[in-house]
Amino acid sequence: MSYIQQSFSVQFEYKVYFTEKIFDPANPCFASFLESRAEKGIRKKLLFIVDEGVTEAHATLQEQIAAYCADLENFELVQDVIVVPGGEAAKNDLQLFYWLVNAIDQHAIDRHSYVVAIGGGSVLDLAGYVAAVSHRGVKHIRIPTTVLSQNDSGVGVKNGINYHGKKNFLGTFAPPAAVFNDAHFLTTLDERDWRSGMIEAVKVALIKDAGFFDWMEAHAQQLTQAEPQSLQYLIRRCAELHMAHIGGKDPFESGSSRPLDFGHWSAHKLEQLTDFELRHGEAVSIGIALDSVYSWIKGMLDEASVMRIINLLKQLRLPLYHPLLEIEDENSAIMAGLEEFREHLGGRLTISLLRAIGKGEEVHEMDAAALAQAVNMLRDKW
Amino acid sequence: MSYIQQSFSVQFEYKVYFTEKIFDPANPCFASFLESRAEKGIRKKLLFIVDEGVTEAHATLQEQIAAYCADLENFELVQDVIVVPGGEAAKNDLQLFYWLVNAIDQHAIDRHSYVVAIGGGSVLDLAGYVAAVSHRGVKHIRIPTTVLSQNDSGVGVKNGINYHGKKNFLGTFAPPAAVFNDAHFLTTLDERDWRSGMIEAVKVALIKDAGFFDWMEAHAQQLTQAEPQSLQYLIRRCAELHMAHIGGKDPFESGSSRPLDFGHWSAHKLEQLTDFELRHGEAVSIGIALDSVYSWIKGMLDEASVMRIINLLKQLRLPLYHPLLEIEDENSAIMAGLEEFREHLGGRLTISLLRAIGKGEEVHEMDAAALAQAVNMLRDKW
Ligand SMILES: NC(=O)c1ccc[n+]([C@@H]2O[C@H](COP(=O)([O-])OP(=O)(O)OC[C@H]3O[C@@H](n4cnc5c(N)ncnc54)[C@H](O)[C@@H]3O)[C@@H](O)[C@H]2O)c1
Ligand SMILES: NC(=O)c1ccc[n+]([C@@H]2O[C@H](COP(=O)([O-])OP(=O)(O)OC[C@H]3O[C@@H](n4cnc5c(N)ncnc54)[C@H](O)[C@@H]3O)[C@@H](O)[C@H]2O)c1
Ligand SMILES: [Zn+2]
Ligand SMILES: [Zn+2]
């Protein structure tokens, strides 16, 4: 038995820009990025895919895009900006996936063209997946328009759609060409959306950065009113921490360790059980409350810390409990979420819990009785 | 305008093993690879996806697999080996894609489990794509069973399926966990299949390795009878050259340069025009003849070299011409293949031609009149 060894590495780079009113003719941010990617003699195409929630809230957006792109020298806007329904629905409908693939085909978007997706995490996940598998990878630019997508989902390397009701069953790892976080989009978000988006900052502070958690406590008042400066700081720090983690040991998650999924095993199941009536961030808030209280019950986390966490979530008016969380025994619906989580990550069950505020710790089993106790406390005690 | 910079690299490694009768209980090759990937306390699953052409030619294969895998300590065979129709049909039917995705879901194949695909390049391309997008990437092992898949398609990093009749419109770059080239499978191939598979060796020799071309001329007699030792040398050298190229500058093909696609622009179109009645390798043989003669007409290649190429193709009994190749003007069917090729690669048209045997050279335009002249010569002269 002999063999040939293959071995190579692939370098990935992109920037996440912070800007405001990206399609204002006076704002050079987007144009100068594009011109830095221009190639002599080729007019590259730009295919825009936009979240319907965004076009509804920003009625002149399509004209702004058309006017802005008309001034670009080496790029050509595909005339029909494609508007797709926003929210989780975008990830639940395979027809949408093929509709977008067909658009790439029909408009002859090649591997030197760009798909530009504007929207919440759901639309970005869908459009990113479409771009990743068309021609084995068309370049894509993300313009996230929600708190969650600006501080977490939109700045990372993953995409995906749901399949047979399973979250992100189909997807890839595909870094974007660039990300533009435009603060102005956030002004039109529903309260539930901007509020729940903050949970990813709480999450990443809890597992990685105690100082950031302190800052959130100190600014809870401003944050709960979406005071722009505080919200911007939260988004930026949260994005930084996520990106530093991704750029670290295991960008494409070949191992089973997934600290950024703290609080997510039950959250993913709750989203599914509520038929996505719960926002992702709301479900994660409940999941974080659950795993924090569980950490405390199991003696990993001290009481003062768990109370700080519960209090911050309450101050940010994020939920702690949902009736579908109820755990009667090992076979409760939510417990199935543990097995689905294990399966999605592969290998041994690996759950991040808390050792302290700012310090995650992995465990490989969860105790159903202690979980049930935690659920009871979340329902009755706070 | 401020930004956060993301930057990381991802390392990829795999081996291509050369073996014979891989599921013979006395052959430790496959088992020892798997055991090197075992993790304490986890029984990883193996989901086999097998080309129907292979199960038909190797009637006891499924029992052999079952018996072989029964002896593995840390791995568990999913009982129903999945048999899919072989040949290009496997890549033309979206239903098959979803059937396999459903199998991954139903059998709870996670990211630490393995999809093991056995078959020709078509089945490997389909199964590789399914594995790449399920759970954002389940590991996959390839066991190529044709000359073409052992010397080219199966040892690389690409997968894909056709969509709306366009070759590989949907796919990804996803290196395998390992590849096992089993010489025994080749003994049951149709003559058209083993013969046409040799073209990729002619191709890579022409653009990269004059010595390998000399060797093929010297062994044309043995090769045209599929004499096992010569065929093995051809496969191994061809695989080596392909892997060295992939492991070089641009493994995931971010640029427009694609020397390994020498002769392929017209071949892809011919496959489509003949409704895949032509084998990939047959179409590539015609494409190589065309681009070699064209190189000569354009004064890049000398006459002696082009005659050596034509003669080798004839000795290997590979085709030089197909009626659908006819070029009347810029709008001929085959000329559309040029634009489709440009689009699939993106950016500027980039075609590899020949400066000498063993030395490719890129051009950025093709001259329809000279191409038509080359077609006429291929039809009438040889
Ligand atoms: N890829 C990743 O790494 C990753 C990470 C975390 C979460 N996610 C995914 O992100 C999704 C959630 O994304 P989300 O929280 O951004 O919500 P969302 O995309 O589901 O959008 C929520 C709603 O807000 C609307 N909307 C978006 N921007 C708006 C704006 N500026 N003004 C008014 N309305 C607007 C949308 O139309 C939608 O109705 C989930 O599917 C989750 O799984 C992905
Ligand atoms: N992914 C890549 O990088 C890459 C590169 C080159 C080609 N390809 C693709 O590979 C495909 C062609 O693959 P191929 O030439 O291996 O042919 P194939 O997979 O289409 O198979 C041809 C026929 O041989 C049968 N067969 C396979 N193994 C057999 C065996 N051992 N005994 C008897 N019959 C057997 C199959 O059932 C089928 O009927 C094309 O779709 C081409 O685009 C992919
Ligand atoms: Zn999340
Ligand atoms: Zn080929």
Side-chain angles (χ1 to χ4, degrees):
Chain A
M1 173 191 74
S2 68
Y3 62 81
I4 306 173
Q5 174 76 49
Q6 180 62 288
S7 169
F8 58 85
S9 73
V10 180
Q11 179 74 21
F12 297 94
E13 302 214 359
Y14 62 92
K15 292 186 172 66
V16 175
Y17 296 93
F18 291 83
T19 187
E20 221 178 315
K21 302 198 180 167
I22 184 170
F23 299 114
D24 183 327
N27 186 338
C29 187
F30 187 60
S32 47
F33 166 78
L34 287 174
E35 294 303 346
S36 76
R37 303 298 170 102
E39 282 173 66
K40 246 207 337 242
I42 310 177
R43 261 178 90 77
K44 302 183 178 186
K45 290 183 191 165
L46 302 174
L47 177 70
F48 277 78
I49 298 175
V50 189
D51 188 320
E52 195 169 16
V54 179
T55 54
E56 276 172 7
H58 300 261
T60 61
L61 182 62
Q62 299 186 53
E63 291 89 79
Q64 283 170 48
I65 292 172
Y68 192 92
C69 293
D71 287 343
L72 297 169
E73 235 178 87
N74 298 295
F75 294 83
E76 182 179 313
L77 176 69
V78 171
Q79 281 309 321
D80 349 332
V81 164
I82 301 181
V83 179
V84 294
E88 199 69 29
K91 294 171 65 172
N92 278 327
D93 182 356
L94 263 184
Q95 307 268 19
L96 277 182
F97 171 80
Y98 286 104
W99 185 46
L100 297 180
V101 168
N102 290 344
I104 286 185
D105 182 13
Q106 184 197 330
H107 296 294
I109 300 303
D110 65 31
R111 294 183 59 199
H112 289 230
S113 302
Y114 290 86
V115 167
V116 186
I118 306 181
S122 302
V123 167
L124 299 184
D125 273 1
L126 165 67
Y129 180 48
V130 167
V133 297
S134 298
H135 294 300
R136 300 199 183 104
V138 165
K139 294 182 208 305
H140 76 292
I141 291 172
R142 301 194 198 121
I143 305 182
T145 58
T146 62
V147 173
L148 182 119
S149 56
Q150 292 195 359
N151 70 15
D152 175 354
S153 83
V155 303
V157 296
K158 297 195 269 188
N159 58 52
I161 58 175
N162 309 328
Y163 184 68
H164 284 180
K166 296 202 175 166
K167 279 282 284 186
N168 304 321
F169 192 87
L170 294 173
T172 72
F173 291 89
V179 181
F180 296 88
N181 276 347
D182 179 342
H184 179 66
F185 282 120
L186 305 180
T187 58
T188 54
L189 282 175
D190 277 356
E191 176 168 349
R192 270 182 84 182
D193 286 305
W194 60 256
R195 204 173 277 292
S196 62
M198 293 193 288
I199 194 67
E200 306 287 356
V202 176
K203 169 199 77 181
V204 75
L206 281 173
I207 53 171
K208 286 187 179 276
D209 185 348
F212 186 32
F213 190 86
D214 298 345
W215 178 91
M216 276 188 274
E217 286 181 320
H219 294 77
Q221 184 63 28
Q222 291 92 314
L223 290 172
T224 195
Q225 291 160 0
E227 186 273 306
Q229 228 182 312
S230 302
L231 194 58
Q232 275 307 302
Y233 178 81
L234 174 139
I235 287 171
R236 181 158 186 144
R237 183 69 193 137
C238 181
E240 254 166 25
L241 288 164
H242 277 85
M243 289 170 71
H245 180 84
I246 293 166
K249 269 185 264 165
D250 188 16
F252 291 174
E253 299 179 356
S254 55
S256 304
S257 170
R258 209 69 60 86
L260 294 181
D261 275 351
F262 173 56
H264 277 60
W265 69 268
S266 55
H268 283 165
K269 192 67 191 176
L270 268 183
E271 285 182 83
Q272 186 203 40
L273 290 175
T274 62
D275 214 2
F276 299 99
E277 197 285 311
L278 269 187
R279 295 287 196 277
H280 177 73
E282 293 167 342
V284 173
S285 177
I286 295 167
I288 284 178
L290 178 65
D291 287 354
S292 300
V293 172
Y294 178 88
S295 299
W296 169 52
I297 291 172
K298 298 299 281 187
M300 287 174 64
L301 188 67
D302 61 42
E303 183 167 353
S305 298
V306 79
M307 286 316 303
R308 283 177 67 192
I309 299 169
I310 298 292
N311 281 334
L312 181 62
L313 296 178
K314 287 172 76 174
Q315 277 191 285
L316 297 178
R317 286 191 231 138
L318 288 165
L320 304 178
Y321 172 78
H322 189 283
L324 286 165
L325 202 60
E326 286 301 325
I327 296 173
E328 269 120 59
D329 57 36
E330 304 265 342
N331 302 319
S332 302
I334 202 78
M335 292 299 288
L338 261 188
E339 173 53 20
E340 283 171 24
F341 189 75
R342 189 203 62 71
E343 203 174 290
H344 190 61
L345 270 57
R348 198 165 159 209
L349 178 68
T350 304
I351 299 285
S352 285
L353 295 177
L354 294 181
R355 174 58 70 189
I357 285 175
K359 193 164 182 316
E361 187 170 301
E362 291 181 343
V363 301
H364 299 286
E365 53 193 349
M366 297 286 273
D367 160 358
L371 273 173
Q373 197 186 336
V375 170
N376 290 341
M377 296 181 85
L378 290 173
R379 184 188 56 220
D380 302 329
K381 198 173 152 103
W382 292 296
Chain B
M1 173 189 76
S2 68
Y3 63 80
I4 306 172
Q5 173 75 50
Q6 181 62 287
S7 169
F8 58 85
S9 72
V10 181
Q11 178 75 21
F12 297 94
E13 303 212 359
Y14 60 92
K15 292 185 171 70
V16 175
Y17 297 92
F18 291 82
T19 187
E20 219 177 319
K21 303 199 179 167
I22 185 170
F23 298 114
D24 183 327
N27 185 338
C29 186
F30 188 59
S32 47
F33 167 77
L34 287 173
E35 295 302 348
S36 76
R37 301 299 169 102
E39 282 172 66
K40 246 212 331 248
I42 309 178
R43 261 179 91 79
K44 301 183 178 187
K45 291 183 191 167
L46 302 175
L47 177 70
F48 277 78
I49 298 175
V50 189
D51 188 320
E52 194 169 14
V54 179
T55 54
E56 275 171 9
H58 300 261
T60 60
L61 181 63
Q62 298 186 54
E63 292 89 77
Q64 284 170 48
I65 292 172
Y68 192 93
C69 292
D71 286 343
L72 297 169
E73 236 178 85
N74 298 294
F75 293 81
E76 184 179 312
L77 177 68
V78 171
Q79 281 309 323
D80 350 332
V81 164
I82 301 181
V83 179
V84 294
E88 199 69 29
K91 293 173 68 172
N92 278 328
D93 181 357
L94 263 184
Q95 307 269 19
L96 277 181
F97 171 81
Y98 287 104
W99 185 47
L100 297 180
V101 168
N102 290 343
I104 286 186
D105 181 14
Q106 183 198 331
H107 296 294
I109 300 303
D110 65 32
R111 296 184 56 200
H112 290 229
S113 302
Y114 290 85
V115 167
V116 186
I118 305 181
S122 302
V123 167
L124 299 184
D125 273 0
L126 165 68
Y129 181 48
V130 167
V133 297
S134 297
H135 295 299
R136 299 200 184 101
V138 165
K139 295 181 208 305
H140 75 291
I141 292 172
R142 301 196 198 119
I143 304 181
T145 58
T146 62
V147 173
L148 181 118
S149 57
Q150 292 195 0
N151 70 14
D152 175 354
S153 84
V155 303
V157 296
K158 297 195 269 189
N159 57 52
I161 58 175
N162 309 331
Y163 183 67
H164 284 180
K166 295 204 176 165
K167 278 283 285 187
N168 304 321
F169 192 87
L170 294 173
T172 71
F173 291 90
V179 180
F180 296 87
N181 275 348
D182 179 342
H184 180 67
F185 282 119
L186 306 180
T187 56
T188 55
L189 281 175
D190 275 357
E191 176 168 349
R192 270 182 85 183
D193 286 305
W194 61 255
R195 202 172 279 290
S196 62
M198 293 193 288
I199 193 68
E200 306 286 358
V202 177
K203 169 200 78 182
V204 75
L206 280 173
I207 52 170
K208 288 187 177 277
D209 185 349
F212 187 31
F213 191 87
D214 297 345
W215 178 90
M216 276 187 276
E217 285 181 321
H219 294 78
Q221 185 61 30
Q222 292 92 314
L223 289 173
T224 197
Q225 293 161 358
E227 184 273 308
Q229 228 181 311
S230 301
L231 194 58
Q232 275 307 302
Y233 178 81
L234 174 139
I235 288 171
R236 181 159 185 142
R237 182 69 193 139
C238 182
E240 254 167 23
L241 288 165
H242 277 84
M243 289 171 70
H245 180 84
I246 292 166
K249 270 186 262 166
D250 188 17
F252 290 175
E253 299 179 359
S254 55
S256 304
S257 168
R258 211 69 60 85
L260 295 181
D261 276 351
F262 172 56
H264 277 60
W265 70 267
S266 55
H268 284 165
K269 192 67 193 175
L270 268 184
E271 284 182 83
Q272 188 203 38
L273 290 175
T274 61
D275 214 3
F276 300 98
E277 197 284 310
L278 269 187
R279 295 286 198 273
H280 176 73
E282 292 167 342
V284 173
S285 177
I286 295 168
I288 285 178
L290 178 64
D291 287 353
S292 300
V293 173
Y294 179 88
S295 300
W296 168 53
I297 292 175
K298 297 299 281 184
M300 288 173 62
L301 189 67
D302 62 40
E303 183 167 352
S305 297
V306 79
M307 286 317 303
R308 284 177 67 192
I309 299 170
I310 298 291
N311 281 335
L312 181 61
L313 295 178
K314 287 172 76 172
Q315 278 192 284
L316 297 178
R317 286 191 233 139
L318 287 166
L320 304 177
Y321 172 77
H322 190 282
L324 285 165
L325 201 58
E326 286 300 326
I327 296 174
E328 269 120 62
D329 57 35
E330 303 265 342
N331 302 318
S332 301
I334 202 79
M335 291 300 287
L338 259 189
E339 172 54 19
E340 283 169 25
F341 190 74
R342 191 204 60 74
E343 202 174 291
H344 190 61
L345 271 58
R348 200 166 158 208
L349 178 68
T350 305
I351 298 283
S352 285
L353 295 178
L354 294 182
R355 174 59 68 186
I357 285 175
K359 193 163 180 316
E361 186 170 301
E362 290 180 347
V363 301
H364 299 286
E365 52 193 352
M366 297 285 275
D367 161 356
L371 273 171
Q373 196 186 337
V375 171
N376 290 343
M377 296 182 85
L378 291 173
R379 185 192 52 221
D380 303 329
K381 197 172 154 104
W382 293 296

